[in-house]
Amino acid sequence: MSRRGPGVREIVLLTLGWEDLPRAVSIEGAPPEERMREPVPGILLRTDGGWLLLDTGFNTALLHDAALRRRFHGRPAYRAILPGPGEPLEEALAHAGIEISEVRAVGLSHLHLDHAGGLRHFTGVPVHCQRRELELGLTAEAERHAVYRIDFDDPAHDWRLADGDVEIAPGVTAVLTAGHTPGHQSFVVDLDESVGGGGFVFAFDAADLTENIEMEVSIGGRVDATPEECIEQVRRLKAIAAERGYPLIPGHDPVAWPALTAQLTERFGRTPAR
């Protein structure tokens, strides 16, 4: 995977909520009584074409309405936590000084409720997703995997579907890392030389925690994939990161995510919402 062309000029990390859930969702074989409070990630990237948003957080309508919450968030071992009473995306963008209308495209790592729920804010803009992920989302069994059609099945969405690795914007490459879901994708972000170069590999849910990467232990939440298949995806991301000299960032790590948020705030000078 070679570097080419211009890169991303700014990165803003967003924490769009939290999830209280069993650690076994992130770490295969973890004791069932162990629990974690994990951040829900969003990433804003300033590219030549404007702001690109990677992942969109929860659909707050499914949390604020009691009947919808019972249906879509009724699993006893799982609790979604919003950062405030309003819309997390709108508030986070406003805090960073960015209008929601300035987001010109969206990239989805996958269609789980904590990643695709805010997609309703972005009708009419390109939405990058793997074809096999959307195919899963439109099946009758999707809801069993916490993929909710209500989050994304809107004819006003401008889907840009990929079948494997693809550059979705200058300096942003989606990498198919199937396992957590059939069409899960991670992202390689190359920063422009004008802002110092370098970059990051964002694993999203191919590796929830630093432990998934350092110990090469599989995530626990998988759809039609074995632990070894998921570990192979982590190894692939580690190889890409090593080749580029970039850090590999886990998707839901409660230590790594706020640390990188602070680091990028210092580098780019734009303060995200907490």
Side-chain angles (χ1 to χ4, degrees):
M1 185 181 294
S2 60
R3 169 86 181 265
R4 61 188 187 278
V8 169
R9 290 174 169 77
E10 190 173 353
I11 303 176
V12 181
L13 299 192
L14 309 175
T15 299
L16 300 173
W18 295 269
E19 297 169 292
D20 183 284
L21 74 177
R23 187 167 175 267
V25 173
S26 295
I27 299 296
E28 171 72 17
E33 68 275 9
E34 292 185 2
R35 299 189 65 82
M36 294 193 69
R37 188 176 189 261
E38 298 182 355
V40 174
I43 303 176
L44 277 167
L45 305 172
R46 186 163 63 86
T47 73
D48 275 358
W51 288 101
L52 165 66
L53 175 65
L54 302 181
D55 283 358
T56 66
F58 294 116
N59 184 342
T60 55
L62 307 186
L63 289 163
H64 292 316
D65 182 275
L68 292 174
R69 185 174 187 123
R70 283 193 299 272
R71 175 179 171 185
F72 293 105
H73 289 266
R75 291 170 290 165
Y78 175 88
R79 184 165 69 98
I81 305 166
L82 295 175
E87 286 291 325
L89 266 172
E90 291 179 346
E91 293 177 350
L93 289 169
H95 195 82
I98 300 166
E99 297 288 338
I100 202 163
S101 61
E102 294 181 76
V103 175
R104 302 301 172 84
V106 173
L108 293 175
S109 64
H110 62 301
L111 291 175
H112 272 154
L113 76 165
D114 54 326
H115 295 264
L119 196 59
R120 69 191 189 283
H121 295 288
F122 303 107
T123 53
V125 305
V127 178
H128 297 275
C129 181
Q130 291 289 323
R131 187 181 311 277
R132 66 180 73 175
E133 187 72 7
L134 187 58
E135 288 173 350
L136 166 71
L138 298 177
T139 65
E141 69 171 20
E143 202 165 302
R144 181 167 61 87
H145 299 296
V147 173
Y148 299 140
R149 195 163 177 165
I150 193 172
D151 286 339
F152 54 84
D153 188 10
D154 185 333
H157 287 316
D158 179 8
W159 293 102
R160 307 295 175 92
L161 300 177
D163 297 295
D165 301 355
V166 62
E167 185 177 60
I168 64 171
V172 185
T173 301
V175 178
L176 176 62
T177 46
H180 181 61
T181 60
H184 183 280
Q185 54 187 5
S186 306
F187 296 91
V188 178
V189 175
D190 300 308
L191 285 161
D192 197 76
E193 294 300 329
S194 66
V195 295
F200 297 89
V201 179
F202 291 101
F204 283 92
D205 288 20
D208 283 353
L209 307 177
T210 300
E211 185 175 345
N212 296 115
I213 297 167
E214 293 184 348
M215 304 300 292
E216 293 189 356
V217 58
S218 174
I219 52 174
R222 304 181 302 274
V223 178
D224 299 329
T226 66
E228 183 57 35
E229 287 171 329
C230 291
I231 293 168
E232 283 304 311
Q233 300 291 14
V234 172
R235 290 174 180 150
R236 183 185 179 210
L237 292 174
K238 289 175 74 170
I240 293 170
E243 176 190 357
R244 301 259 182 136
Y246 295 173
L248 174 56
I249 309 301
H252 289 280
D253 194 289
V255 175
W257 189 255
L260 183 60
T261 300
Q263 175 190 329
L264 293 176
T265 296
E266 182 177 355
R267 178 170 180 177
F268 295 107
R270 192 186 296 266
T271 305
R274 297 185 183 276

